[in-house]
Amino acid sequence: MSSAQESEPVLRNAQPSAVQDEGALRLLRDGRLEVAGRLVEATNMTLYCSLTLGGRTAACVYKPVRGERPLWDFPDGTLAAREVAAFEVSQATGWGIVPPTVYRDGPFGPGMCQLWIDTEHEIDLMRLVRSRHPGLRRMSVFDAVVNNADRKGGHLLPLPDGHVYGVDHGVCFAAEDKLRTVLWQWRGKPLARDAVAVLAKLERDIESGALGRRLRQLLTLAEVEATWNRVRRLLDTGVHPYPSEDWPAIPWPPI
């Protein structure tokens, strides 16, 4: 067996599971939110919570705006909205990359609320990151669109059915290019046909559709325009982007 084969994790290509439905969004928006604990390793305040609505329950992650750490390169108090914007783009692609996410009030004020995803614990994240799983290839395109400045291996959530979610999108959508990711294995490669079709739809949806209207509620006009320009650039070049020579291409730590 070659080294390339040895690095492939045991994952099947799969479509998003049933958690990506309108019922999950209703539960996130309207459910009773109760804090159960805190994820202490997270940079910003990240709370593990329970949701209850009409006899339906689920777990979620709640990140209140008041718990966001100030950053030099992103405006204060905007990270939760960026997480929601990433979900909106994910929904528009049809790839189901970001778990259901809403902006709502909670015990510590308004913030981001995202459905908790139980992962496949036996998957080696380092092997997954080095693999050529189709879901990761789509995620690399998504990250280029949203200008993800922090795609670590630890932000990948592999499911038993083979689908891979991505989380922690608070540092996305900057107007300046900031793409930092561990998913560079497709750099310079032609975009897949389905990715080109999705990008063409995104271009229209951001320019004059519902996605553009929603993004303008969550981001600045300059950031929305920059998102449209990144989509246009991907379509014009027809290839996955190369790492920049002007800033670190891989976040630290990578996992």
Side-chain angles (χ1 to χ4, degrees):
M1 182 179 292
S2 68
S3 59
Q5 290 174 311
E6 291 172 348
S7 68
E8 294 292 330
V10 182
L11 273 177
R12 301 176 301 280
N13 185 27
Q15 295 301 312
S17 63
V19 299
Q20 199 86 335
D21 61 13
E22 183 60 31
L25 292 172
R26 285 197 301 270
L27 186 57
L28 288 165
R29 284 192 298 259
D30 304 325
R32 184 179 58 173
L33 185 64
E34 295 185 345
V35 176
R38 181 174 180 177
L39 305 182
V40 295
E41 295 182 358
T43 302
N44 299 295
M45 181 186 289
T46 304
L47 303 172
Y48 178 79
C49 302
S50 65
L51 287 163
T52 306
L53 180 67
R56 187 177 182 184
T57 62
C60 69
V61 170
Y62 163 51
K63 298 182 181 179
V65 171
R66 65 189 292 185
E68 294 178 4
R69 186 186 69 175
L71 299 172
W72 69 268
D73 54 348
F74 285 86
D76 294 350
T78 67
L79 304 190
R82 295 173 192 279
E83 297 242 28
V84 178
F87 170 70
E88 297 289 348
V89 174
S90 170
Q91 286 289 86
T93 65
W95 290 336
I97 289 171
V98 182
T101 309
V102 303
Y103 192 93
R104 61 163 289 174
D105 201 10
F108 295 97
M112 179 277 279
C113 191
Q114 184 175 84
L115 196 68
W116 178 267
I117 301 296
D118 290 318
T119 64
E120 174 55 77
H121 298 294
E122 295 182 2
I123 295 296
D124 184 329
L125 284 180
M126 285 298 296
R127 293 177 64 195
L128 176 59
V129 164
R130 295 195 300 267
S131 77
R132 294 185 178 274
H133 186 277
L136 295 188
R137 184 170 190 174
R138 291 190 289 268
M139 190 178 295
S140 71
V141 176
F142 169 82
D143 284 343
V145 169
V146 303
N147 198 17
N148 193 346
D150 195 34
R151 174 62 74 202
K152 296 182 172 75
H155 296 167
L156 304 178
L157 303 183
L159 270 61
D161 67 2
H163 186 70
V164 182
Y165 282 108
V167 295
D168 285 342
H169 298 102
V171 288
C172 291
F173 296 103
E176 306 82 10
D177 288 336
K178 292 181 180 289
L179 183 60
R180 287 190 291 268
T181 176
V182 293
L183 303 177
W184 288 114
Q185 52 267 58
W186 295 281
R187 61 192 181 278
K189 301 294 185 183
L191 294 166
R193 185 177 301 176
D194 71 305
V196 173
V198 166
L199 289 167
K201 178 178 179 294
L202 284 182
E203 181 191 21
R204 297 190 298 271
D205 288 351
I206 294 172
E207 184 175 32
S208 58
L211 178 60
R213 292 191 294 273
R214 180 62 175 139
L215 291 182
R216 286 189 286 274
Q217 295 173 345
L218 297 163
L219 307 169
T220 68
L221 291 178
E223 289 166 343
V224 177
E225 182 178 0
T227 303
W228 185 88
N229 285 333
R230 288 190 295 270
V231 173
R232 185 67 257 168
R233 187 164 64 232
L234 287 167
L235 287 169
D236 287 344
T237 64
V239 299
H240 290 260
Y242 285 95
S244 172
E245 298 179 354
D246 298 328
W247 64 85
I250 297 176
W252 188 261
I255 296 295

